[in-house]
Every structure is written in structure tokens, then in C-alpha cells.
Amino acid sequence: MVKLSYSSALVKSSIYDVIKDLPKAELHLHIEGTLEPELLFQIARRNQVSIPYQTVQELRLAYKFNNLQDFLDIYYAGASVLIHEQDFYDLTWAYLERAYQQNICHVEIFFDPQTHTDRGISFDVVINGITKALENAQKRWGITFHVFMCFLRHLDEISAIKTLETALPYRSKIIGVGLDSSENGHPPSKFERVFAKARQEGFLTVAHAGEEGPPNYIWQALDLLKVMRIDHGNRAMEDEVLLSTLAKRQVPLTMCPLSNMKLNVIRQLTDHPLKKMLDKGILVTVNSDDPAYFGGYLNENYQVIAKALNLSVAQIGILAKNSFQASVMGADQKEQYFKQVDRIISQYP
Ligand code: ADE
Ligand code: ZN
């Protein structure tokens, strides 16, 4: 009996060590969702923006959400302190410091241009601040990166088209477009034309789908928006044909366990569909979504899901490999990371 609990403690620490040791890519990360309360207060003070909370503790206490919309209301309010290029730089740099500490070697991050341009902040302020931080992290730590801009789906098509036009001069800094914000009532079909234009202009496409919305929104993202990845995709579980299509076409799902918990997409982590999807051969990845709001960065997401679903070391290795496979990086770079993952996994029982 004693021996059994001793060995299970060893196995548990192995899983946590392997998560720390493995190189990983993060593919579903809203940079505005990395704004920690401390930095939020610091930036609000220097920009003389007033916020309806007195202290960091008070703000953190407000991070209780019943659903996606509850979160989005606070998330957009938080982003309103970001005004100058330096603010976007500091925000991005703070995330990259964490990424480096967590052995994240490649990031593909989202930003929401309309959240800022609708407040009168110019597009170049936002993209320049974000990009400069990414370039510095690449120089300093070798973290490679790509940037996707998301259209806010609660706004209309015209606003998305204007945003795409505004982004065209910055094409070299933005690899693709995505779709985020309030999902229900805002199907991918609403954005079919702007995504077609984005593809014509050479942008890659991804979209949030099946977080709160029905499986049909995932079909629409695939068939109408021609996305290369689905962000979240939890509700694919309700449609067997969709599941086998995702597996057959190897369409990646960028899943976010802590986000799903905090936004009541799942009742408890043990209900998370990630393992069932892995078992069906779907290319699932683990990501942090909006870590400042959901209580953990990438490694914490791996840890909680590994524990809740009793994932093996080999399955953690598959998730790390999937993160590179689902990324935009070139085949040679992917191969290098696959080898690194295999070497590290082979050192664990
Ligand atoms: N914007 C930031 N995080 C989001 C999420 N989890 N779903 C939809 N839009 C978002
Ligand atoms: Zn997201």
C-alpha cells in the first residue's frame, strides 16, 4: 500500500516534469487576454485611465464568469487601458517572458484590432508594439512567432471589411485572420465574404467555433471560411460525422482547458473532451486562450488536463508534437521539434 502511493507520487511528478521540459508551441492566445491585473493598474495609472476597481485583489475577485459574454465584458474593459505603442509592447513582452520560462519555443498569437481602433487607437500603434516585442523575444530567446488578427464577430461585416483594408499595409506582419468574441447568434456565415477577401489577399484563416456555438458553426468555419484550424471545437463531440471529418482531414483543434472551465463550457475538467478526441486521432492541441483571466498559462493548462484525464507521458508528448504540427512553421523546423520531443519523452518511464 505504502509502495503504491509512493510510486504514484513519482509518476505524478514525472508528468509535471515532462510538461516543463518539453518544447511547446502556443497557437491560441489572445494577447489582450494576457493583461495581468498588476500591469493593467500600472498602465491605467500612467495613461490616467480610470477603472472601476481600487485594487488588484478587487479586480481579481471580479474574474468570476458564468459564460463567455461575462468574460468578454471584463476583457474589453481591461483592454481599454492600452493606448500607446509602449503599452502593447509591455503587454506582449510580459507574456513572452512567461512563454520563455515555460519552454514555449513558438507562438502564434491573436490580437483584436477593432477593440482598439474603435476607441481611436491607430492600427499601427497596436501592431508595432506587439511586433517589436515579438522580434526582441526572437532575438533574445529564439522564440519564433506569427500574428493573426481576429475579427470581432459581434460587430458587423462592414466593420470586418474595413479592418481587413486597414491591415493590408501591414500584411508582412500578419499571417492570417481569425474570428472571435460572442459566438452564439454570430455564425461564421456572417463573415464568409470578408474571409474570402482575406484569402485572396494571401492571409491564412482560423476561427473560433464550437466553444459555445453548435457543431454547425464548426462545419461553417470549415466549408465557408476554409479555416486551417478550429479554435476550441469542443462541441464537435455532438456530431460523429464532424469528428471523423476532423480526424480524416487532420484539422487541428486548439483547445483551452482552463478557459473552458472558467467559462462553463464544461462542468468539470474530467468532462473535457480532449482525451476522447485524441483517441479518435484528432489533432488536438493545448493552449491558454486568456491566461491572465483564467488562472494559468500554457504549462498549467497541460498540468490540469493531464491530471484530470490521467494522460500518459506518451500522450503529453503527442500533444507537444501536435502543437508544432498544427503550427504554420516550416516542415524542417517541425521535424527538429519532433525529434526533441521524442528525445525528452524517452527519458521518462
Ligand atoms: N476573445 C478572447 N477570448 C475569447 C474566447 N475564449 N472566445 C471567444 N472570443 C474570445
Ligand atoms: Zn480564444
Side-chain angles (χ1 to χ4, degrees):
M1 195 62 193
V2 171
K3 197 160 180 259
L4 198 101
S5 59
Y6 175 62
S7 71
S8 68
L10 260 186
V11 169
K12 194 172 154 215
S13 82
S14 292
I15 284 283
Y16 289 165
D17 290 343
V18 83
I19 289 167
K20 262 195 285 161
D21 285 355
L22 283 172
K24 296 164 292 280
E26 174 140 69
L27 308 178
H28 183 162
L29 182 281
H30 302 263
I31 199 64
E32 295 90 346
T34 68
L35 183 55
E36 290 286 345
E38 291 79 3
L39 185 59
L40 190 155
F41 270 90
Q42 197 183 314
I43 295 176
R45 224 173 288 127
R46 75 188 185 207
N47 289 343
Q48 299 183 334
V49 175
S50 76
I51 39 178
Y53 301 95
Q54 296 307 311
T55 63
V56 163
Q57 290 81 347
E58 201 190 320
L59 179 55
R60 272 194 210 283
L61 281 176
Y63 292 177
K64 292 204 177 77
F65 316 112
N66 290 315
N67 51 39
L68 175 59
Q69 193 59 50
D70 276 2
F71 156 69
L72 290 170
D73 293 342
I74 286 202
Y75 162 84
Y76 294 129
S80 71
V81 304
L82 303 165
I83 294 175
H84 304 292
E85 185 178 306
Q86 188 68 44
D87 306 335
F88 290 94
Y89 181 95
D90 292 348
L91 170 73
T92 309
W93 188 254
Y95 164 67
L96 290 163
E97 284 183 318
R98 302 245 194 187
Y100 173 64
Q101 284 159 14
Q102 298 208 341
N103 215 359
I104 299 174
C105 311
H106 177 79
V107 296
E108 295 182 6
I109 68 169
F110 294 133
F111 77 108
D112 290 337
Q114 289 148 299
T115 299
H116 313 297
T117 53
D118 284 5
R119 300 181 288 120
I121 313 296
S122 76
F123 195 96
D124 65 322
V125 162
V126 182
I127 191 68
N128 289 342
I130 293 172
T131 309
K132 283 180 186 169
L134 288 162
E135 286 168 349
N136 277 349
Q138 176 153 18
K139 265 188 235 139
R140 190 184 286 207
W141 296 310
I143 299 174
T144 49
F145 65 88
H146 288 294
V147 175
F148 286 71
M149 65 169 198
C150 286
F151 301 119
L152 297 181
R153 68 204 303 160
H154 68 273
L155 300 179
D156 60 23
E157 184 196 26
I158 293 172
S159 174
I161 291 170
K162 276 195 198 136
T163 302
L164 179 61
E165 282 163 359
T166 309
L168 291 181
Y170 307 96
R171 200 191 310 238
S172 65
K173 294 186 155 100
I174 300 168
I175 198 158
V177 302
L179 188 63
D180 67 1
S181 193
S182 325
E183 188 177 8
N184 276 321
H186 303 286
S189 57
K190 183 176 160 186
F191 297 94
E192 188 175 355
R193 284 183 295 203
V194 69
F195 268 64
K197 188 161 165 38
R199 289 197 312 279
Q200 269 169 21
E201 295 287 351
F203 291 100
L204 301 174
T205 60
V206 298
H208 284 55
E211 180 184 18
E212 286 188 344
N216 179 249
Y217 283 19
I218 303 176
W219 282 116
Q220 287 188 21
L222 296 173
D223 296 341
L224 306 181
L225 308 187
K226 319 272 186 218
V227 296
M228 58 171 281
R229 297 195 292 248
I230 296 285
D231 297 311
H232 295 293
N234 297 54
R235 290 192 60 190
M237 286 307 282
E238 297 165 33
D239 181 336
E240 280 299 331
V241 180
L242 179 56
L243 287 170
S244 50
T245 303
L246 292 169
K248 193 163 133 225
R249 295 195 206 158
Q250 288 292 280
V251 179
L253 301 187
T254 62
M255 307 201 89
C256 307
L258 281 172
S259 165
N260 294 159
M261 261 304 289
K262 298 286 171 178
L263 303 188
N264 280 326
V265 167
I266 49 173
R267 216 166 332 135
Q268 49 200 7
L269 277 163
T270 48
D271 294 339
H272 199 283
L274 178 139
K275 190 175 180 179
K276 290 197 181 93
M277 289 180 165
L278 260 187
D279 290 344
K280 287 178 187 291
I282 296 173
L283 210 168
V284 292
T285 66
V286 173
N287 305 272
S288 68
D289 206 7
D290 302 283
Y293 293 89
F294 300 148
Y297 284 75
L298 186 60
N299 282 358
E300 290 77 26
N301 273 275
Y302 271 83
Q303 285 166 3
V304 295
I305 203 66
K307 182 160 182 265
L309 304 183
N310 198 20
L311 299 181
S312 64
V313 170
Q315 284 170 319
I316 299 296
I318 290 170
L319 290 170
K321 279 189 182 175
N322 284 355
S323 76
F324 297 111
Q325 178 61 25
S327 78
V328 176
M329 71 172 56
D332 289 354
Q333 204 185 344
K334 286 183 185 176
E335 252 336 291
Q336 303 265 330
Y337 283 120
F338 294 161
K339 283 188 194 140
Q340 277 189 36
V341 170
D342 284 339
R343 191 164 35 75
I344 290 167
I345 290 293
S346 71
Q347 293 162 3
Y348 285 84

